[in-house]
Amino acid sequence: MKLKVGYIEIRDIMTADKAEVRDGVLYVDTKALEAIALEDEHIKSVKFDVARPGESVRITPVKDVIEPRAKVEGPGDIFPGMTTKVATVGSGTTHVLRGAAVVTVGKIVGFQEGIIDMTGVGADYTPFSATNNLVVDFTPVDGITAHEYEAAIRTAGLKIAYELGKLGKNLTPDETKEYDFPSLMEGIKKYPDLPRVGYVLMLQSQGLLHDTYVYGVDMKQSLTTMLSPTEIMDGAIVSGNCVSACDKNTTYHHQNNPVIEDLFSEHGKTLNFSAMIITNENVYLADKMRSSDWSAKLVDYLDLEGVIISQEGFGNPDTDLIMNCKKIEETGTHTVIITDEYAGRDGTSQSLADADAKADALVTAGNANQVVTLPKLDRVIGTLDYTEKIAGGFAGSLESDGSITVEIQAITGATNELGFSRLSAR
Amino acid sequence: MVLTSLKRTLLITNNPLVHEKYADKQETEFVDDGFQGVLKAVRDHVHEGYRLLTHPLSGSVKPNENPYKTVLLARSFANTDADSVMLVEQCIITAEKFEKKVIHDKHLHDLQVVDLSLISEVLERNRAT
């Protein structure tokens, strides 16, 4: 499968009567976007705001971040099975409004979490301090259930991003990249001497606030399966995950998965990127057994020589991660796992809830228990009412001067387990 | 081995919503205690011959943020299930390292809803199969 991705650089977002992209500025018609959001009977009202890099703005509680993209040529459309028809995506041409993001905000449950600071210390911990963000704050109708509210915000966010993405459809990209994911046999013929490497992407799939959708399918209802990494760039995987702000994969993370990006950049040079496998993280232990068995069976069948496994979330996904790692290693395939750590505030506690001697190659995305104090910022988009309750915040974490002391797990994307973050070690 | 027959399963919970919804549908033990209290009750049952059907650290809301926990077990007809013993002990250790947090009463219902959702996904799906 071949996908050409054209990047249109966006350096600012402004509201206007006419929606368009002109000279690197994304002009948004909030009235038209509001009408799209209100198509859902569960949404009472919606508020738009723009947050730019460097502004003294705190956004919280963040639900999802989505990059506007448009299908220019080729089958299917962005977010297939979710907000567009089911059809295989991942080939042809796609345009991206790079530098722009839709950030959805809404208090689905009282302890909703996720902070994006556009400036100060907090900005260093989230990649979304560097994007121009159209923040959409949703208020639900009265009497709505948490499930209905989550689904409404998730869908409306995707539709708004889709609408913005279309504005880049007829523009000339500032940069174009080509991603060629050949069939297994083609790859082997082309690169007979390079090691065949695969990627096992684990997706959060436990229940309310913990879900991921693939072509519209709730991933907990799927067995481990395969697709082309280019399909993911076209929005085949979207996030319904709202908890664990630091290490959940937002839709934006899926669209821009850095493991996929790096595997493509080494493809044909040091390795042969041969397989993209996706698996779930369910609550039921028998599901964990089945799904990890299936990951290992696929890896074995494809005769891969090395596999990268990335995790999403904390706690019981550690068990899925170790099961995947151990069973794949037992097929004779080397693994490298990517995770983050909950090693206590001083970093000395055991990092994962599970372990195995076969997990001997690990990349860490940081210690989510690390504590930071975020300064008071001039403006809050969303609400701080719940700050002491968000993951990583603690009693009294909102100080009287407006500063917040939190563990970095409160910050959206801080220890992202795809490696889409700014933390590194010296 | 039958995994899905609810007749052989035991639900251990401290979540009133879960108790309300499932107590008359299947064997349910209500634990009037916190997160760790539930895990310890689970551990005791595992030593009595039950095995885990769901992961004790289900959910990514951290153990010190959600006081509610529900775990599904199955009666085991063999000896004590070593995998279950190790898993629940590991979960107790993991949960203990999180610092205590004050949880506001106004959030309790939402936290119950999330815990209920996680276990419902398991019970409803496996009831249907």
Side-chain angles (χ1 to χ4, degrees):
Chain A
M1 218 175 241
K2 277 186 197 171
L3 181 69
K4 201 190 282 183
V5 181
Y7 297 94
I8 295 146
E9 302 295 345
I10 301 296
R11 52 177 176 80
D12 199 0
I13 298 178
M14 295 174 87
T15 55
D17 292 335
K18 188 186 170 212
E20 62 179 331
V21 173
R22 188 162 30 91
D23 301 330
V25 179
L26 170 59
Y27 294 92
V28 297
D29 174 1
T30 53
K31 282 225 162 53
L33 297 179
E34 182 184 25
I36 290 170
L38 295 179
E39 282 171 6
D40 191 314
E41 61 190 13
H42 298 106
I43 296 172
K44 184 159 85 180
S45 63
V46 61
K47 215 165 64 189
F48 293 90
D49 223 318
V50 177
R52 301 173 180 88
E55 287 184 343
S56 184
V57 173
R58 171 164 297 140
I59 312 168
T60 188
V62 172
K63 180 190 184 313
D64 198 10
V65 184
I66 311 156
E67 186 171 58
R69 294 188 169 207
K71 201 76 206 149
V72 177
E73 185 263 313
D77 208 343
I78 304 294
F79 309 130
M82 294 302 292
T83 51
T84 61
K85 278 188 198 164
V86 175
T88 301
V89 290
S91 60
T93 306
T94 297
H95 280 181
V96 179
L97 299 187
R98 186 160 65 184
V102 173
V103 175
T104 54
V105 171
K107 184 183 70 66
I108 295 162
V109 284
F111 55 90
Q112 189 73 26
E113 57 184 4
I115 295 173
I116 296 173
D117 277 3
M118 300 305 291
T119 190
V121 180
D124 293 339
Y125 289 92
T126 177
F128 306 114
S129 58
T131 46
N132 292 284
N133 300 321
L134 180 68
V135 186
V136 195
D137 189 352
F138 298 90
T139 304
V141 295
D142 296 335
I144 193 173
T145 67
H147 288 81
E148 289 167 330
Y149 188 21
E150 189 282 323
I153 297 189
R154 169 164 36 87
T155 308
L158 295 174
K159 282 167 142 182
I160 287 168
Y162 178 84
E163 203 59 25
L164 297 181
K166 283 199 302 191
L167 301 173
K169 202 166 178 168
N170 298 318
L171 300 181
T172 306
D174 297 297
E175 186 196 351
T176 301
K177 284 189 193 173
E178 285 190 39
Y179 299 92
D180 183 6
F181 191 69
S183 73
L184 190 65
M185 286 311 293
E186 273 177 291
I188 291 169
K189 275 184 206 154
K190 212 167 166 185
Y191 309 113
D193 300 325
L194 293 178
R196 292 180 304 286
V197 175
Y199 175 23
V200 176
L201 170 64
M202 295 170 53
L203 302 169
Q204 184 72 263
S205 59
Q206 302 182 66
L208 177 64
L209 310 183
H210 295 77
D211 282 323
T212 305
Y213 299 84
V214 180
Y215 279 95
V217 174
D218 181 346
M219 193 56 197
K220 78 170 75 64
Q221 294 164 357
S222 172
L223 276 169
T224 302
T225 187
M226 292 174 64
L227 75 177
S228 163
T230 56
E231 293 173 76
I232 300 173
M233 297 174 182
D234 273 349
I237 301 179
V238 306
S239 172
N241 190 5
C242 318
V243 289
S244 236
C246 64
D247 56 14
K248 73 177 176 189
N249 298 329
T250 67
T251 299
Y252 190 104
H253 286 108
H254 288 301
Q255 292 168 304
N256 293 281
N257 186 319
V259 179
I260 291 175
E261 191 67 39
D262 287 356
L263 283 169
F264 267 122
S265 70
E266 290 301 313
H267 183 56
K269 295 178 195 160
T270 60
L271 54 84
N272 173 3
F273 184 14
S274 303
M276 176 78 221
I277 296 168
I278 52 171
T279 187
N280 52 17
E281 301 173 351
N282 286 12
V283 171
Y284 200 46
L285 289 171
D287 286 342
K288 292 185 186 300
M289 294 297 292
R290 255 190 297 268
S291 292
S292 53
D293 282 349
W294 236 268
S295 301
K297 278 188 278 190
L298 286 174
V299 167
D300 193 30
Y301 176 70
L302 296 166
D303 203 16
L304 300 175
E305 289 158 89
V307 163
I308 295 170
I309 310 169
S310 68
Q311 183 189 0
E312 181 178 9
F314 149 88
N316 83 84
D318 295 356
T319 298
D320 300 271
L321 176 71
I322 295 300
M323 280 184 180
N324 279 315
C325 170
K326 194 175 156 190
K327 291 176 185 179
I328 291 170
E329 286 275 348
E330 282 166 357
T331 70
T333 304
H334 297 295
T335 62
V336 175
I337 62 177
I338 313 174
T339 180
D340 63 350
E341 303 179 57
Y342 289 79
R345 292 191 180 161
D346 61 359
T348 58
S349 300
Q350 185 182 325
S351 300
L352 294 176
D354 205 342
D356 190 272
K358 290 196 166 62
D360 56 3
L362 179 149
V363 177
T364 177
N367 178 16
N369 294 130
Q370 184 191 330
V371 176
V372 288
T373 297
L374 309 176
K376 180 184 190 301
L377 298 185
D378 293 345
R379 201 155 63 92
V380 173
I381 304 178
T383 175
L384 278 176
D385 287 1
Y386 303 92
T387 299
E388 80 249 34
K389 264 308 298 140
I390 58 181
F394 43 90
S397 66
L398 178 59
E399 309 292 343
S400 53
D401 66 358
S403 67
I404 310 175
T405 303
V406 289
E407 293 180 0
I408 60 170
Q409 56 168 309
I411 301 170
T412 300
T415 60
N416 178 267
E417 292 162 293
L418 305 176
F420 197 115
S421 67
R422 300 172 174 192
L423 289 179
S424 66
R426 275 186 292 207
Chain B
M1 187 166 25
V2 179
L3 286 172
T4 52
S5 167
L6 292 180
K7 287 179 189 155
R8 291 199 176 91
T9 58
L10 169 66
L11 202 55
I12 298 184
T13 186
N14 63 352
N15 182 347
L17 285 187
V18 171
H19 188 258
E20 189 183 314
K21 186 165 178 187
Y22 291 109
D24 62 345
K25 296 190 179 82
Q26 77 131 70
E27 197 181 338
T28 303
E29 182 179 313
F30 188 80
V31 179
D32 190 13
D33 202 346
F35 192 99
Q36 285 284 11
V38 174
L39 292 197
K40 283 172 183 165
V42 168
R43 178 183 63 189
D44 293 347
H45 282 287
V46 165
H47 282 287
E48 288 161 15
Y50 282 82
R51 66 197 159 78
L52 293 167
L53 287 188
T54 60
H55 198 292
L57 288 182
S58 56
S60 284
V61 184
K62 309 298 177 293
N64 57 343
E65 293 152 11
N66 191 349
Y68 298 104
K69 175 48 60 187
T70 304
V71 181
L72 187 67
L73 301 109
R75 276 182 209 150
S76 194
F77 297 103
N79 297 325
T80 303
D81 182 51
D83 290 342
S84 294
V85 172
M86 283 160 66
L87 182 56
V88 71
E89 290 289 358
Q90 187 62 53
C91 290
I92 288 170
I93 293 167
T94 299
E96 270 171 357
K97 80 183 174 196
F98 285 87
E99 293 186 23
K100 294 271 178 296
K101 280 188 191 176
V102 176
I103 297 165
H104 281 286
D105 290 350
K106 64 183 175 184
H107 299 310
L108 293 180
H109 179 76
D110 283 347
L111 291 160
Q112 291 169 8
V113 168
V114 170
D115 178 63
L116 171 66
S117 165
L118 299 182
I119 201 69
S120 293
E121 298 284 354
V122 171
L123 291 172
E124 303 299 332
R125 192 151 53 93
N126 290 289
R127 194 186 297 276
T129 54

